[in-house]
Amino acid sequence: MHFVTRERAPRASRRAWTVMLGLLVPLAVLVVSGLVLLWPAGEDRAAWDPAALGEGASYVSGTVTMVDLRKCPDAESTGCAAITAEIDGTEGSLYVPPEAMAAGIAPGDTVKAIAMDAGLDSDPAAEAVTGPADAAPPGGSAGPNDPGATDYVFVDFDRNLSLGVLAAVYALLVVLVAGMRGLRALLGLVFAFVVMLVFMLPALLAGSPAVLVGMVAAGLIMLVVLYLAHGFSARTTTALIGTLAGVAVTGVLGALWTRWARLAGIYSEETYVLSWSAGVSTGDLVVCGILVAGLGVLNDVTITQAAAVWELALARPQARVRELFASAMRIGRDHIASTVYTIAFAFAGGGLTVLLLVASSSRPFLESLTLGDLAIEVVSLLVCSIGLVLAIPATTLIAAVVVRSGERGRTGAAREEPVSR
């Protein structure tokens, strides 16, 4: 028999818990109160139909059975109506626009389409998707590029299966690698999307103040997701406080720079539709988007920093608050450096098509970054990065104080236990 040293995890003092809960409980009350006050009413509102289907037209799904491009030699520039699809057991002609032809379409592909009504004098569904159809040639016969002569008009490929398999593979890998904590994180992700779909988006469409809606949604998501994924502990609580502080900073800076940079204009079809049909303030919507964009990265860095402080305290039981803070900030600086360019690369990858378009224009590249939607993305990137940079030292300091609050200079942080060989 011999003795091994087993470290005891640092525990927060009762005073530290009192202070932390004294901060979180009022915040939780405010979040719940905001949720109740801003909850969207159940009245019916006019829905915006992106395809504006006419009478007799409907959305359907089917399978491509035949593609004969010999009848459409210019398919990639004009589209092709000489394609056959089977929908609800009935075969019919399918018009496929040029962009879908360029992507590649083959027998066996599952597609979403609009069913045409042959009894109508005109085909509003075809015009909604492809523009006004060309007039049929004399004698009533239609060419292979005429969408008005088809039974169906292509809308998009059906990606339900491919995306579903990808999501399943992702979830399986998370659970296999991270175990129950990964499963709880996935449940937290589901909860976050439920909050956004059930509360945040309907509240925005109902005309509620977008900034308040974003703050309430962000607070609710963080209060539930962090504890669900990482458990109820002093370490998680310090990370939560740091995250909420970062969210607050991000929201305030987002509101200030949105107003200062005059980002409340209408720069795209989407913002025009929302402003016209739902009366949503585009400036507030920008701030709300910045808050949501910052949640994930703030959560990441605060949890990592809190964990680093706890591990350092366990490894160095004699270290004081200042020493723990300095050691953890050396980790935090590396995290800041890596996360900042991670955010920038994510922005560049997500907007690669737009950046290519900007680079190919005659306008100077840096000047283009200050215009329209690109200016909104730049402000979002910089504001989220500022919130991240400030959240790391704040979380590290709180964690160092909390983790040492239960020790008070105690040196016996380890105990010996007999172990049989």
Side-chain angles (χ1 to χ4, degrees):
M1 180 180 294
H2 68 286
F3 289 87
V4 296
T5 301
R6 179 175 297 174
E7 298 293 340
R8 185 174 58 195
R11 302 178 66 179
S13 68
R14 181 174 298 179
R15 176 178 294 181
W17 270 113
T18 301
V19 173
M20 289 190 296
L21 293 179
L23 292 172
L24 286 182
V25 170
L27 287 174
V29 171
L30 287 175
V31 168
V32 174
S33 301
L35 189 68
V36 173
L37 293 175
L38 297 174
W39 191 267
E43 71 271 8
D44 294 333
R45 56 181 176 81
W48 171 65
D49 185 354
L53 298 183
E55 182 181 357
S58 60
Y59 287 109
V60 293
S61 296
T63 304
V64 176
T65 57
M66 186 184 68
V67 177
D68 187 1
L69 296 183
R70 291 175 298 178
K71 298 181 180 179
C72 304
D74 300 323
E76 292 193 1
S77 60
T78 60
C80 183
I83 295 175
T84 304
E86 181 178 342
I87 296 177
D88 295 331
T90 304
E91 283 196 342
S93 56
L94 172 71
Y95 172 77
V96 179
E99 56 271 19
M101 296 300 304
I105 188 168
D109 288 344
T110 305
V111 297
K112 297 180 179 180
I114 295 177
M116 315 298 287
D117 189 341
L120 296 177
D121 293 334
S122 62
D123 290 315
E127 294 183 3
V129 177
T130 65
D134 296 330
S141 60
N145 302 109
D146 182 10
T150 59
D151 301 307
Y152 308 106
V153 171
F154 176 93
V155 174
D156 206 345
F157 293 97
D158 190 332
R159 302 182 181 92
N160 295 343
L161 179 60
S162 59
L163 296 184
V165 170
L166 180 60
V169 170
Y170 166 71
L172 180 62
L173 288 176
V174 168
V175 174
L176 288 177
V177 174
M180 288 302 298
R181 180 166 295 184
L183 178 60
R184 294 197 301 268
L186 290 175
L187 293 176
L189 182 63
V190 172
F191 174 80
F193 276 99
V194 168
V195 170
M196 288 188 283
L197 293 175
V198 175
F199 166 68
M200 190 180 77
L201 298 182
L204 291 175
L205 291 174
S208 299
V211 176
L212 292 180
V213 170
M215 295 290 285
V216 170
L220 179 61
I221 289 171
M222 288 296 100
L223 283 169
V224 173
V225 168
L226 280 181
Y227 285 128
L228 181 61
H230 304 282
F232 185 81
S233 65
R235 184 170 67 180
T236 306
T237 303
T238 58
L240 176 59
I241 294 174
T243 302
L244 293 177
V247 169
V249 170
T250 301
V252 171
L253 293 179
L256 289 176
W257 257 266
T258 297
R259 181 181 295 273
W260 188 13
R262 300 291 192 271
L263 297 178
I266 295 175
Y267 304 108
S268 65
E269 181 181 355
E270 292 80 6
T271 54
Y272 171 78
V273 171
L274 287 173
S275 178
W276 174 76
S277 64
V280 178
S281 170
T282 54
D284 289 347
L285 197 60
V286 171
V287 181
C288 185
I290 291 174
L291 285 171
V292 174
L295 283 182
V297 66
L298 284 171
N299 173 31
D300 176 35
V301 297
T302 55
I303 283 291
T304 302
Q305 282 304 110
V309 172
W310 249 259
E311 291 301 321
L312 287 169
L314 185 63
R316 301 172 57 191
Q318 304 294 336
R320 298 181 179 181
V321 170
R322 180 180 297 179
E323 295 170 331
L324 284 179
F325 177 80
S327 297
M329 277 306 298
R330 284 193 287 271
I331 301 173
R333 291 187 187 97
D334 288 336
H335 206 173
I336 289 174
S338 63
T339 308
V340 164
Y341 59 68
T342 297
I343 298 176
F345 291 156
F347 161 70
L352 185 59
T353 304
V354 177
L355 291 178
L356 281 172
L357 186 63
V358 169
S360 64
S361 70
S362 58
R363 190 186 300 271
F365 184 79
L366 292 180
E367 180 182 344
S368 298
L369 291 180
T370 66
L371 302 177
D373 281 343
L374 279 178
I376 294 175
E377 295 296 332
V378 170
V379 169
S380 177
L381 169 67
L382 296 178
V383 166
C384 289
S385 297
I386 291 173
L388 177 148
V389 170
L390 295 179
I392 285 182
T395 304
T396 305
L397 179 60
I398 294 171
V401 172
V402 169
V403 78
R404 278 290 172 254
S405 64
E407 299 295 327
R408 295 301 179 189
R410 190 173 63 192
T411 59
R415 57 191 177 95
E416 292 187 342
E417 295 182 356
V419 177
S420 299
R421 192 191 301 266

